[in-house]
Each structure stands twice: as C-alpha cells, then as structure tokens.
Amino acid sequence: PPPPPPPHSSLLLPPHTPSLSPMSASTPAEEADDTVATVAAEPLVPAGISDVFTYKSLVHAISGATGGITAISVFFPLNTARIRIQVASSEEAKGLVQTIQDTIDEEGVQALYQGWKSAVVAIGSSNFVYFYTYHLLKVAARKYTDQKELSTVANLLVASIAGVINVLTTSPFWTVNTRLVVQRKKAMKGVGSKLQYKGILDAFWQIARDEGYRGLWSGVIPSLWLVTNPSVQFVVYERVRLIMERIAEKRGRRITPLEFFFMGALAKAAATLVTYPLQLAQSKLRVDKEKKYKGTVDVMIKIYQKSGFKGLFQGIQAKLWQTVLTAAFQFLTYEEVKYLVFLFLLGPKKVPKASE
C-alpha cells in the first residue's frame, strides 16, 4: 500500500495557499494549479495585487517615457512652430515652413528650442504616468473580465481613465511648457525684449504668484476632454498591433521598426483629426492671461464667429506634421526599448505579446 500522506499543517504552506481540507469544494487539479500560482507569487502579497503591480508595468512606463523624450527632442522645432501658429490670430497665422523660417530670421535657431527642457520634463513624466497606468488598468481589467483581449469599448474606457489620471497629475508641466514657447513671440509685440520667464521653476513660481495655483491648471478642462485623443490613439494602435502581430507570426519574424513607425503614425493621425478643435482651444486657454475666454466652449464659439469652421482647424497642417511624426517615432522607440528590456530580462521565448 502507498505510504500515508504527511500530516497537514497550514503553518507549513506558503501564504494564501488554498486549503487541502477534504471539505474544499475545488478539485485536486484546481488546488494544484492554485498552489503553483501562489508559490510563484511574492510572499504576503494579496492575490491579484501582485499580478497587477508588476515590473512589466514599470517596463512599459520607462519605455514610453524614453520614446516620448526621444521623439520630442528630434521633432521639437515642429512643436514650437505648431504652438506659435495655434496661438496666433487668424490674420497672423502662417504655414509651417514659413513659421520656422520667420522664427530663425527674427530670433535665431535657438528660439525653435525655447521650452525644450520643460517639454522633456512634461513628456517624460506624462508618458511615464500614462503608460504605467494604462498597462496596470489593462491587466486589472483582463483579470476582472477573465479575458485575454479586451473589447474595443473596454479598451477605450481603460485608456480614458489613464488619460484622466495623466492630465490631472501633469497638466502644470504642459502649462509651463506652452508659456515658455510663446513668450518670445509675445515679447516681440510688447515693450522691450526681456523674457518674462527665466526657466521652468521661475515660470511655476510666477504663474502661481500672479494667477494662483489654478493658473497652473489653466486649460485642464479641454485637456480632460482631450483624453479622447490618446484614448482613440491607443485603441487604434492596439488593434492594428494585434493584426500586425498575427501577420508577423505567420511570416516568422517580429514586426519591423518601420512598421511600428507607420502604425504609430496612423493611430495618431486618426486621433488628431477627431480632436483638433479641442486642442486648439486648449492652446488658447493656456496663454489667456487676460482671461478673455470663459472656457472651452467659449473659445470655440468665438473662433467660429471670427474665422468660421476653417478657424477651428487653424494650424492643423503643422499639428499633423508635428504630432504624427512625433507619435510615430515615439511608438517605434517605445516598442524597441520595451522589446530589448524584456529580451534582456526574460529571454527571446518569453517576450510578452501585444495582448499581454
């Protein structure tokens, strides 16, 4: 006869190990699976939490921040030109190339990089928060729904929540960034050429002193509305990525950097076309020191009354060039950095797929 099993003691089992009592309703196979999963988890961490707050979310966050910083640095002159076009009146607004040329002629090449430091801080922190939160919420949602892939609606909801958290935590950085970029343009119209803000910390201090802390969150309402932009962008990107990953599996090699570039460009172009009037209102509100606008809707109404429907898309050419190229390069860098980090940590056979 087989030897009797050793006496059971819960003190000998890892934390949260399922009971092996005959009264247990689960089958031996289920109990074995649960035990393996529990042993693999970190001790003293409640079931589920350790699966959500993982190093994978941190890898996504670091990769997203790296991609954003790299992309904004490469295409920063386009960003400067785009903001200047948006905040200009309809009579003063010019094309992308002409705006860049005029800026160089009047203020020098360095003017195209005015606010670069604050943009790096803003995009780095913003991407870190967004990518970490988005991946964390996506993992939690998959566990809650017990599905490997989220539906489009669920994915859109997860991306929107991540966007709201991102906006509320990083909006002051973007307000400061916008002020630093446009201040040279404003100084040329006023008396003297002295810059109002000396840097990031000085801009924070002056805005808080002169406009109150609410001034640092000026434009936060359209920014909250604009969570639809990254939400649409990420949902489109995720869907295209799943399709491309299936194609890559059939052909026997991973998605190429060039394909990642075009996937990111497609996703951002779709999101930008849908949400551009709100982005224009956001830029106007962030530089509205005289408080001539009552809010997002008021901005759009006044723009429409003055310049018609065309005015709501003032500067969209520059916006598309800047954001589409930046987003495409960002996703390319994000995917490659993420792949290399997971490759180093897990090896080639365990690199997570798009749905993971």
Side-chain angles (χ1 to χ4, degrees), residues 45-231:
V45 178
I49 297 295
S50 61
D51 295 323
V52 174
F53 290 93
T54 65
Y55 71 92
K56 289 185 179 181
S57 295
L58 186 61
V59 171
H60 280 272
I62 293 173
S63 302
T66 303
I69 290 172
T70 304
I72 198 68
S73 298
V74 171
F75 296 108
F76 195 78
L78 295 179
N79 183 63
T80 301
R82 185 263 304 177
I83 293 179
R84 292 189 175 213
I85 292 171
Q86 285 184 330
V87 301
S89 64
S90 57
E91 295 81 9
E92 295 176 329
K94 300 177 182 178
L96 176 63
V97 175
Q98 188 61 50
T99 299
I100 293 176
Q101 187 62 54
D102 288 350
T103 301
I104 295 174
D105 293 343
E106 296 171 6
E107 306 171 53
V109 176
Q110 71 277 6
L112 292 174
Y113 291 89
Q114 180 71 32
W116 175 80
K117 291 182 181 179
S118 65
V120 167
V121 173
I123 194 70
S125 58
S126 181
N127 273 22
F128 186 93
V129 171
Y130 189 86
F131 277 83
Y132 187 92
T133 308
Y134 175 72
H135 186 264
L136 183 149
L137 292 175
K138 192 167 69 171
V139 171
R142 284 206 302 260
K143 286 193 167 293
Y144 180 77
T145 59
D146 198 25
Q147 295 178 348
K148 284 190 175 182
E149 293 183 16
L150 297 180
S151 65
T152 301
V153 174
N155 209 342
L156 190 61
L157 179 61
V158 166
S160 298
I161 295 173
V164 170
I165 295 172
N166 175 41
V167 166
L168 294 176
T169 54
T170 64
S171 185
F173 292 108
W174 290 111
T175 299
V176 167
N177 174 62
T178 304
R179 298 285 180 92
L180 288 173
V181 172
V182 303
Q183 72 172 348
R184 282 182 178 265
K185 185 76 172 178
K186 297 294 183 181
M188 291 179 63
K189 297 179 180 180
V191 179
S193 57
K194 185 178 179 180
L195 298 178
Q196 179 181 357
Y197 306 119
K198 298 177 182 179
I200 301 173
L201 295 179
D202 183 58
F204 269 110
W205 183 78
Q206 287 197 46
I207 294 171
R209 180 196 63 189
D210 299 337
E211 305 171 40
Y213 288 104
R214 290 182 62 183
L216 291 170
W217 273 268
S218 59
V220 72
I221 299 302
S223 294
L224 287 174
W225 287 17
L226 278 170
V227 298
T228 54
N229 183 287
S231 300

Side-chain angles (χ1 to χ4, degrees), residues 6-36 38-39:
H8 169 64
S9 171
S10 60
L11 297 177
L12 300 178
L13 295 174
H16 310 297
T17 302
S19 170
L20 300 181
S21 164
M23 298 299 291
S24 173
S26 45
T27 65
E30 289 172 339
E31 289 178 341
D33 289 341
D34 289 342
T35 304
V36 171
T38 305
V39 172

